[in-house]
């Protein structure tokens, strides 16, 4: 019973973080879940939780949902996943992870202290961001940063940024769930734990989304860049 309570609290917190920032649930959930359950339970459980979070947020931000923004990311991610799986077999993952960590820290710190002029990037950058997200995600299970960087570089409103992140992560999470079901990683134990924790996931996400409404775009971006720095530190 104590393990279930801890899992519910962890997923509640993960939902709150992603409800505020638009990403980061796995960054919170995976390290904490692996302290109390096996990694083969933690990963599919986190994937199910991510799907609930991303679906809820996509519905909440449907007024800012734009398929033209999300489509290139989704298309680009598919071949990226294939490349990432190959990299995982041929290149030591700790090298890729350390390089990504250094880059995220540098990028996050730079954006916190220097103002980058707003711009509108061509859609081809969306395909590249999706490709890199798929590759890094398949290799390290931490593919979000390229998409986050792409959305924050565009001269979009905070709702457009968050809706694009939520829509793309929703697409990606459903693909991951299908893969986990096909490979047998989503066991009955995982499903039962998920069903028990689902109300807490939704509550955390709803509270995070409520808090997000009070952030101006400038503050919201600072939250995003701070989360990127934390992700970079954890990767190193």
């Amino acid at each position: 019973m104590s393990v279930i309570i801890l899992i519910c609290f962890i997923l509640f917190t993960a939902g709150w973080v992603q409800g505020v920032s638009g990403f980061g649930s796995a960054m919170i959930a995976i390290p904490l879940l692996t302290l109390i359950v096996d990694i083969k339970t933690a990963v599919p459980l986190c994937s199910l939780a991510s799907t609930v979070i991303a679906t809820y947020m996509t519905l909440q931000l449907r007024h800012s949902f734009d398929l033209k923004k999300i489509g290139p990311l989704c298309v680009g991610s598919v071949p990226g996943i294939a490349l990432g799986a190959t990299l995982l077999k041929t290149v030591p993952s700790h090298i890729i992870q350390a390089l990504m960590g250094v880059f995220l820290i540098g990028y996050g710190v730079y954006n916190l202290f220097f103002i980058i002029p707003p711009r509108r990037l061509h859609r081809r950058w969306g395909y590249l961001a999706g490709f890199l997200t798929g590759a890094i995600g398949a290799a390290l299970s931490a593919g979000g940063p390229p998409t986050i960087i792409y959305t924050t570089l565009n001269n979009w409103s905070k709702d457009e940024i968050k809706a694009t992140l939520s829509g793309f992560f929703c697409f990606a999470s459903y693909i991951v769930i299908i893969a986990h079901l096909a490979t047998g990683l989503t066991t009955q134990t995982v499903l039962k734990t998920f069903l028990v924790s689902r109300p807490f996931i939704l509550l955390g996400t709803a509270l995070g989304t409520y808090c997000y409404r009070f952030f101006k775009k400038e503050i919201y971006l600072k939250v995003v860049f701070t989360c990127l720095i934390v992700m970079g530190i954890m990767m190193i």
Side-chain angles (χ1 to χ4, degrees), residues 66-128:
D66 188 347
L67 190 59
K68 292 181 179 179
K69 292 183 175 71
I70 300 171
L73 294 167
C74 296
V75 172
S77 69
V78 176
I81 291 171
L83 175 62
T86 304
L87 284 175
L88 187 59
K89 293 181 179 180
T90 58
V91 181
S93 60
H94 67 275
I95 294 177
I96 306 173
Q97 187 167 325
L99 290 173
M100 176 58 65
V102 171
F103 172 75
L104 289 181
I105 293 170
Y107 181 82
V109 169
Y110 181 84
N111 279 275
L112 283 176
F113 293 100
F114 298 93
I115 298 175
I116 297 179
R119 68 199 73 185
R120 285 200 175 272
L121 300 179
H122 193 277
R123 288 180 62 190
R124 62 174 174 267
W125 291 105
Y127 292 105
L128 178 61

Side-chain angles (χ1 to χ4, degrees), residues 123-203:
R123 288 180 62 190
R124 62 174 174 267
W125 291 105
Y127 292 105
L128 178 61
F131 177 82
L132 292 174
T133 295
I136 297 170
L140 302 176
S141 296
T147 298
I148 297 163
I149 292 170
Y150 168 71
T151 56
T152 54
L153 279 175
N154 270 290
N155 187 23
W156 296 341
S157 69
K158 68 169 189 171
D159 282 354
E160 287 177 315
I161 293 172
K162 196 176 181 186
T164 302
L165 289 174
S166 299
F168 174 62
F169 292 146
C170 187
F171 167 82
S173 62
Y174 277 104
I175 290 181
V176 171
I177 281 181
I178 292 171
H180 286 167
L181 286 169
T183 55
L185 281 172
T186 305
T187 62
Q188 288 188 359
T189 300
V190 170
L191 286 173
K192 288 179 182 178
T193 306
F194 167 68
L195 291 174
V196 172
S197 61
R198 186 172 55 179
F200 297 91
I201 299 168
L202 284 169
L203 178 60

Side-chain angles (χ1 to χ4, degrees), residues 40-54:
K40 291 184 179 180
T41 299
V43 171
L45 178 59
C46 184
S47 297
L48 289 167
S50 296
T51 303
V52 171
I53 295 167

